[in-house]
Every structure is written in structure tokens, then in C-alpha cells.
Amino acid sequence: MTAVSYQVERGIATITLDSPANRNALSAAVRTGLADALAAARADDGVRAVVLTGAGTVFCAGADLKEVGSGEPVTGPGIPEILAAILDLPKPVIAKLNGPARAGGLGIVAACDIAVAPDDVTFAFTEVRIGVVPAMIAVVCRPRMAPRALSRYFLTGETFSAADAVESGLITACAPRAELDGLVDGMLDGLRRAEPKAVGRTKALVEELAGMDRAEAFTMAERLSMEFFASPEAAEGRLSFFEKRPPKWAL
């Protein structure tokens, strides 16, 4: 049995953390399976976007504490490698939570471009309550979350709601469980209609702009805009608009 499942349908790769017996904790098997699935999605030109979800009642409980405490050497890809693979994937990644997320699982959520959850799930950065520091996931959570909320939840380890997670910036949206599939399907429909190269470059642009001053950002943005407006894909996009038909890349 695999700890992570992978399937592709209509241009969307669904990656499922499939280790419900240990609450989809980030064991070596889960980390390895997740890294392999992300690599497969990256290599497949037919994949437009990724949905990352979990099997069972919990999305991800964070580190596998039994494995960490076993004294055995750490094997498989590390958490930084997993988070970087999500961030650097030139395709959007949507975290579709099936249940609560804790500790390192929130790093996975924060690394994704979009994150949605049922409105009844809860979140917690539990690291400080077991005497450790949320160090690695702070790298991805800090840019997403409002500073006051980040400090509160990091320092107290308290449980917070899906609505609180939306307000803090950790997740994009929450909805009743019965409406979650429709919410995600609407996003996926938009991604299927979007031109893949433009989507990938837009994802990278958001990260690049964060490290630039305004003058540098405008210079780079003007060059990038001209490059894409002159592309064959943009020509097809304009033609399809005027001809009132879907562009050739739409699925």
C-alpha cells in the first residue's frame, strides 16, 4: 500500500495523503510519496494544476512523532524539500482540506497557492506545547499570515477555527462541507481555461515581486508584459476572444 495516492483527470492531478491510521502525519513514507507525486505533476505537461488533499478525517497531523522519537536515522526528503517543491512547482497547487491540520501540516497548507477547508475544521500550531519550535514552517507561514495572528497562534499553540484561518491569511476560503466540492470545482474550471505558461509565470511573479523595490519591479514587469503580449499564446487568446470561442488550450 502507498502512503500517497496520485491520479490525473482532465488536466488536474489529485495528490492524496493516504495514511489515515497515523492521521496523515509526515512520516518518511508520506514525505517520499508526496515528493514523488509532486515531481510527477511537474513532469507531466498534461497537468495544469494540483489538488492536495487527505484521506480519512484528518488532513495532516504534522510530524510523525513516533518516527522522530524512534532514534532511527531520518530518511526520505525533508520538510524544506517538500515545501520548496510545492512553492517552486510551475503549476498552481490547491490545498483542499478534508479535516483538521496541525503543526507541520499547516506548513503544507501555507505553501500551497490556494487553500480551502470545510468550515468545521480546526487548526493549531502545537509545536510549543511539546517543547519544540515551528521553525521550518515559519518560512512559509510568515508571508501568508497577518503578523498579530501569526504571533498569537505560534506562541500559544491554541486551536483556531477555519474562519479564523481565513481572517489570518492562512487559508483562502472556508465553506460548509456540502459546498466545498463546488467551490474547488469552480477554481479548477478557471485553471482549465487559463493558458498554462501564463499561469506558471504568474505564480513565479508573485514570489519575485516580494523581494524587489518598486522601480525594479516596474522594470521587470514591463519587460515581462511585453514578452507575453508578443507571444503566440496571446495572439490565440485575442483571436479566440474576438471569435467568441474557447482558446485552443482550454480543457
Side-chain angles (χ1 to χ4, degrees):
M1 294 181 64
T2 178
V4 175
S5 66
Y6 179 84
Q7 61 180 7
V8 179
E9 181 179 355
R10 290 188 60 214
I12 306 301
T14 299
I15 300 174
T16 305
L17 307 182
D18 197 4
S19 185
N22 71 340
R23 295 160 55 89
N24 295 324
L26 296 170
S27 63
V30 168
R31 296 195 313 274
T32 299
L34 181 51
D36 289 346
L38 290 167
R42 186 184 188 107
D44 187 348
D45 290 339
V47 170
R48 300 287 185 87
V50 172
V51 173
L52 179 55
T53 189
T57 59
V58 174
F59 175 70
C60 180
D64 187 324
L65 297 181
K66 289 185 179 179
E67 192 171 271
V68 171
S70 69
E72 296 295 323
V74 176
T75 60
I79 296 298
E81 184 177 342
I82 297 294
L83 299 179
I86 296 172
L87 292 168
D88 295 339
L89 190 73
K91 304 170 184 183
V93 182
I94 299 176
K96 181 184 179 184
L97 277 68
N98 56 301
R102 296 289 186 269
L106 298 186
I108 301 293
V109 172
C112 293
D113 301 287
I114 300 169
V116 299
D119 59 8
D120 59 358
V121 304
T122 59
F123 303 80
F125 295 99
T126 53
E127 287 87 348
V128 294
R129 296 198 176 189
I130 61 168
V132 297
V133 175
M136 291 181 288
I137 65 171
V139 176
V140 290
C141 291
R142 187 174 182 274
R144 296 284 190 206
M145 298 181 67
R148 288 295 189 187
L150 181 72
S151 293
R152 173 183 176 178
Y153 297 132
F154 262 26
L155 296 175
T156 66
E158 67 186 281
T159 299
F160 55 102
S161 70
D164 291 330
V166 172
E167 184 177 4
S168 75
L170 177 62
I171 66 174
T172 309
C174 62
R177 285 185 179 270
E179 299 175 13
L180 195 67
D181 286 347
L183 176 63
V184 175
D185 287 346
M187 296 175 181
L188 296 179
D189 182 59
L191 292 171
R192 289 186 175 105
R193 294 169 183 262
E195 198 283 310
K197 292 178 185 176
V199 170
R201 191 62 188 87
T202 300
K203 174 173 176 172
L205 174 65
V206 172
E207 184 70 19
E208 291 169 8
L209 290 175
M212 295 183 179
D213 63 36
R214 185 171 64 185
E216 182 186 13
F218 274 132
T219 299
M220 185 273 288
E222 184 178 29
R223 183 177 65 251
L224 180 62
S225 181
M226 292 174 62
E227 174 189 337
F228 270 78
F229 266 108
S231 70
E233 291 81 9
E236 163 62 12
R238 291 191 296 272
L239 186 61
S240 68
F241 175 81
F242 290 121
E243 293 181 349
K244 295 181 171 55
R245 60 169 174 81
K248 293 179 179 178
W249 56 75
L251 296 178

